[in-house]
Structure formats: structure tokens, C-alpha cells
Amino acid sequence: MSKKYTFIDLFSGCGGFSEGFYQEKFESVVHVDFDGPACETVKERMRYYNYSEKAIESAVICGDLTSDDVHKQIDSVIGNRQIDVLVGGPPCQTFSSVGRAQDKNSMRNDPRNYLFRSYLEILEKHKPKIFVFENVSGLLSAKPDGNYIFPEIVKNMSEYYSICDDRNTILLNSVHYGVPQIRKRVILIGVRKDLTINPIDIYNAIEKTHYSPEMEAKNETNGRQKYLTIKDAIGDLPKLLPGEGKEEINHKIVSKNSFIKIVRPNGFLKLYNHVARKHNNMDQQRYELLSKNKWQLKDLAKTRPDLIHHDPKHFGNRYTVQVANKPGRTVVAHLYKDGNLFIHPDHKQKRTFTVREAARVQSFPDDFKFVGSRTNQYKQVGNAVPPLMAKQIAKAIKQFLK
């Protein structure tokens, strides 16, 4: 039997990053997150992977990574074990350009900006062989206190680790890894300096299996498979009207496309978390017209001004129909507030995405069950690293661990 490599996941959320590492047979030692329901989802998934209740109770630490108590708990669980990989990305709202635009202080005073310091502390104390730091692309331009934060992060991490900070190398798009979604993220990989591994070689080993719509437009498909679409991701799911659906139903698919074959295990006959939000009559009319005509809000304003309650010039992308034959737009945590950026392409359903539909677009397996309130489930899905992208990263790293 091959050696099991160990990993810890900080700011783990519901465990999207972990899922990719589990699929590559890594063993989890610690997961830390502040959100109670997300921690319960992580525990649920560890049971799926046959961890004992004792192991689960010690491994999942639900608490604030800036607190000394949590650091003590982490130390006691890890003990003297050598950790192979540390993964995780501090909450990204503060770095994201959308988040910054909505805050008059540009989030300068947000303590979450400094959560990465807690990440560094654990990195320096436990010195895993490799780390993977994930964040939004806005991190590259974030200036929380007037200074760019990215060079500071790289400088701090470079004391013990070799890092590649070339922006073209570290910005990965999930659509290249078989995820039916355009999602560009900073993936910073560091290798402990006593190891003779060049981080660039790890990036080169992260296999891009699919081309993007951008590459298609430039005729640069390079023998890769075509990007996956919203239709590929959710076309088989039961049709629902607003307010319909159940947390768990039986669901059988007769013919599976290439994506469903990956996310839906053979013999699995359930469907979790496929419940449609309730929408008022005006919202249903908006969704139906926008979807049926492939309109933006400004088009709706011309024909049905009575349905507009935002200024369409400012909120042109506030209502977005996901396009059936293209990859999804970036799934975001804002989903927990409303689903207006994720209007279903089938106009007859007159609604926004269910948790399961969003999870499919994020490449979560169908047997991955989200727990907690539906609002919280949306947040868990929106904050996650797509498991199929995490899996390609884990697969690449495994080639270099000895």
C-alpha cells in the first residue's frame, strides 16, 4: 500500500479543498473553521471517508484562528507528526474587488485582512513540506492600509519557503480543470527550502484538461477537451418551481455525460440539497423574462419598467441568467443573500439556483451532503474551492512528495 500523505486545512469552510485531497488519498489531520454548520459538513464528509468519530472530533476545530486556544488545540492534535501539506485561504471578502467597492473604507479597517498572519504562524510553527494558499485575484491589487498586501504576504512566506510569485503562473482558472465555471483564483504554492523541489515544476504538473471559451475564441484549444457548461452540470436535475424540492430525494440518471460520470458515483441513487427558494410574483416574472429572452436588466427596463427596482445602469449585472451552453460565472458566497446572479437558464422554472445546482457548478460530488440551514449551505458552497481543481493540485503535489 502506498504511503498516505498528510494535510491540514485552515479556513476549511465546508471542505472543498479537502475533498480534492481526499480524492487523491491524502489523510486529513486538522480542519479549522469559524463557521459551525461548515464544520458539521466537514465532519459529515469525514464519516463518508470512514474516519472514526474519535478522529473526527479531534480533527475538526471550530473556532477563531486568531485565538490562542485554537492554536493550542492545533498543536495538541498535530503533536510531533510531520505534516506534508498545509492548504487553505483566509476569508477573501476583504481582498475581493467587489467587497472593496461596497465598503466606503475599502475594508481598510477589516480585521479579516490580517487573518493571513494566523496562517503564517501555523506555517512557521509546523513547517509542512508544501503549502497551498488560495485567494481571490483581487489579492494582487489589495491595499488595505494604503500598501499592497500581496508583496508582504510573499515576503513573509519566503523566509522558510521557495515561492513563485509570477502573476501569470499563480492565477489559475477552474474551467481548465473540468469545473463547469469560470473562477480565477490566486494559488500560491510554497516548498520548504530544505527540499529540492522547484514550485514552478509543481505548477507545470497541474494538468489543464479543458480549454476555456477565451481560448476557443482565439482558436488556441491545444488538443484539450472543450470546457464544461451549465447544461452539462445541471441539465439532468429534476425541474422545480419556486419553493419546491426536498433536502433528500431518490434520483436516477439514465445516461450520464462526462461530467456527471465524475461527480455522481455509480450506484448512488440519492439527491441532496435540491430545494428551490421561494420567490415573490414580481421576481418570478423578472426571472422568466430575463431567462426566456436572454436579456440583461437594461433590456427588461425597456419593455417592463414596472419590474425594475434598481437603476439598471448601476446594477446591470445584478440580475444574471446563467447561460446553458457556457461555463457558469463565478459562484460566490453572496448567494446566501439572494440568487439573482444565478438565474436558472430554463425560463419555465422561473427561479434561481438550488444549493445542489450551485454545488454542481463548483464540481462537488453528488454524495457530498451540505448540512445547516439552506442560507448557510449557499454560503458554504460559494466560499469553497472547487474540488476538481483541488484534486488536480493534490495530484500534482503528490508527484513531488517522497
Side-chain angles (χ1 to χ4, degrees), residues 10-263:
L10 304 181
F11 309 101
S12 63
C14 65
F17 226 146
S18 294
E19 181 62 26
F21 278 76
Y22 285 142
Q23 289 181 17
E24 284 299 314
K25 308 287 187 284
F26 280 73
E27 182 191 342
S28 86
V29 179
V30 171
H31 301 260
V32 187
D33 201 82
F34 190 61
D35 186 65
C39 291
E40 291 307 313
T41 296
V42 169
K43 289 178 184 177
E44 182 77 22
R45 197 60 181 165
M46 287 182 80
R47 289 182 193 108
Y48 169 87
Y49 281 110
N50 298 318
Y51 284 80
S52 70
E53 284 302 315
K54 191 179 171 200
I56 293 169
E57 279 315 307
S58 72
V60 182
I61 299 170
C62 195
D64 180 350
L65 209 51
T66 59
S67 94
D68 290 345
D69 277 358
V70 167
H71 282 253
K72 282 176 191 153
Q73 273 177 277
I74 294 169
D75 295 348
S76 82
V77 177
I78 294 176
N80 297 322
R81 292 177 77 170
Q82 167 63 62
I83 299 298
D84 292 305
V85 186
L86 180 152
V87 303
C92 61
Q93 289 83 349
T94 47
F95 302 136
S96 114
S97 46
V98 175
R100 295 209 301 270
Q102 288 171 356
D103 183 324
K104 63 181 191 318
N105 288 321
S106 262
M107 300 204 159
R108 236 175 243 115
N109 313 328
D110 196 318
R112 287 178 301 185
N113 271 322
Y114 298 98
L115 279 166
F116 84 86
R117 295 182 198 271
S118 307
Y119 183 101
L120 282 173
E121 253 177 74
I122 289 164
L123 191 61
E124 289 174 3
K125 188 185 288 178
H126 296 287
K127 297 201 173 62
K129 292 176 183 169
I130 292 172
F131 73 78
V132 189
F133 177 91
E134 180 266 353
N135 230 291
V136 291
S137 53
L139 178 67
L140 300 173
S141 57
K143 299 163 84 171
D145 51 9
N147 299 311
Y148 286 110
I149 202 170
F150 181 66
E152 188 188 339
I153 291 175
V154 170
K155 186 178 151 212
N156 280 299
M157 289 174 160
S158 298
E159 193 175 343
Y160 302 106
Y161 287 83
S162 307
I163 290 165
C164 162
D165 62 357
D166 172 64
R167 294 176 182 224
N168 293 325
T169 306
I170 65 176
L171 205 57
L172 305 190
N173 185 346
S174 66
V175 81
H176 293 307
Y177 310 102
V179 179
Q181 176 192 180
I182 303 291
R183 186 186 193 90
K184 293 178 180 172
R185 289 293 184 262
V186 169
I187 300 287
L188 207 51
I189 298 173
V191 178
R192 211 173 58 208
K193 283 184 174 173
D194 61 299
L195 302 171
T196 53
I197 303 166
N198 186 334
I200 298 274
D201 294 336
I202 299 179
Y203 284 105
N204 290 337
I206 304 172
E207 195 190 351
K208 288 182 177 170
T209 50
H210 294 68
Y211 60 82
S212 65
E214 251 173 291
M215 291 163 79
E216 183 180 48
K218 294 178 190 163
N219 225 352
E220 294 172 356
T221 53
N222 305 348
R224 296 190 179 118
Q225 299 170 59
K226 183 176 177 169
Y227 52 80
L228 291 159
T229 67
I230 287 286
K231 189 179 178 195
D232 295 328
I234 68 170
D236 68 287
L237 294 173
K239 291 178 167 45
L240 300 175
L241 288 170
E244 291 183 347
K246 288 184 178 162
E247 279 296 314
E248 184 176 321
I249 58 164
N250 293 324
H251 181 52
K252 193 169 185 182
I253 303 173
V254 183
S255 69
K256 296 178 174 181
N257 64 37
S258 63
F259 177 70
I260 303 300
K261 280 178 182 158
I262 292 169
V263 296

Side-chain angles (χ1 to χ4, degrees), residues 387-402:
L388 284 184
M389 177 162 143
K391 180 183 164 86
Q392 289 291 10
I393 295 169
K395 197 172 167 182
I397 286 172
K398 207 161 64 171
Q399 295 171 35
F400 294 90
L401 287 170
K402 293 190 176 61

Side-chain angles (χ1 to χ4, degrees), residues 173-394:
N173 185 346
S174 66
V175 81
H176 293 307
Y177 310 102
V179 179
Q181 176 192 180
I182 303 291
R183 186 186 193 90
K184 293 178 180 172
R185 289 293 184 262
V186 169
I187 300 287
L188 207 51
I189 298 173
V191 178
R192 211 173 58 208
K193 283 184 174 173
D194 61 299
L195 302 171
T196 53
I197 303 166
N198 186 334
I200 298 274
D201 294 336
I202 299 179
Y203 284 105
N204 290 337
I206 304 172
E207 195 190 351
K208 288 182 177 170
T209 50
H210 294 68
Y211 60 82
S212 65
E214 251 173 291
M215 291 163 79
E216 183 180 48
K218 294 178 190 163
N219 225 352
E220 294 172 356
T221 53
N222 305 348
R224 296 190 179 118
Q225 299 170 59
K226 183 176 177 169
Y227 52 80
L228 291 159
T229 67
I230 287 286
K231 189 179 178 195
D232 295 328
I234 68 170
D236 68 287
L237 294 173
K239 291 178 167 45
L240 300 175
L241 288 170
E244 291 183 347
K246 288 184 178 162
E247 279 296 314
E248 184 176 321
I249 58 164
N250 293 324
H251 181 52
K252 193 169 185 182
I253 303 173
V254 183
S255 69
K256 296 178 174 181
N257 64 37
S258 63
F259 177 70
I260 303 300
K261 280 178 182 158
I262 292 169
V263 296
R264 194 163 173 83
N266 276 336
F268 184 67
L269 298 172
K270 298 265 184 226
L271 188 67
Y272 302 132
N273 314 114
H274 188 47
V275 183
R277 278 184 155 123
K278 292 187 174 91
H279 299 303
N280 64 39
N281 184 267
M282 283 184 80
D283 265 341
Q284 289 186 41
Q285 288 184 65
R286 279 183 200 108
Y287 300 148
E288 186 175 12
L289 286 165
L290 288 165
S291 180
K292 188 176 186 176
N293 300 297
K294 298 186 170 54
W295 280 348
Q296 291 187 341
L297 209 58
K298 61 177 190 288
D299 306 309
L300 186 65
K302 289 171 194 160
T303 49
R304 289 291 306 275
D306 57 308
L307 290 176
I308 300 292
H309 59 95
H310 296 301
D311 176 350
K313 285 200 280 295
H314 286 102
F315 289 106
N317 60 357
R318 190 67 190 268
Y319 284 75
T320 305
V321 179
Q322 293 295 312
V323 182
N325 64 353
K326 286 276 191 283
R329 292 178 49 147
T330 306
V331 176
V332 288
H334 181 89
L335 260 177
Y336 83 94
K337 290 185 178 162
D338 65 61
N340 293 336
L341 292 172
F342 289 85
I343 300 168
H344 200 290
D346 174 8
H347 69 273
K348 290 177 185 162
Q349 297 187 50
K350 311 182 223 190
R351 62 173 179 83
T352 58
F353 274 21
T354 65
V355 169
R356 180 51 52 191
E357 285 162 344
R360 281 272 188 93
V361 174
Q362 278 275 55
S363 78
F364 276 94
D366 271 12
D367 56 12
F368 192 109
K369 191 190 241 176
F370 296 89
V371 297
S373 70
R374 194 156 75 251
T375 302
N376 192 281
Q377 290 171 17
Y378 277 117
K379 194 185 271 190
Q380 290 177 41
V381 175
N383 278 328
V385 173
L388 284 184
M389 177 162 143
K391 180 183 164 86
Q392 289 291 10
I393 295 169

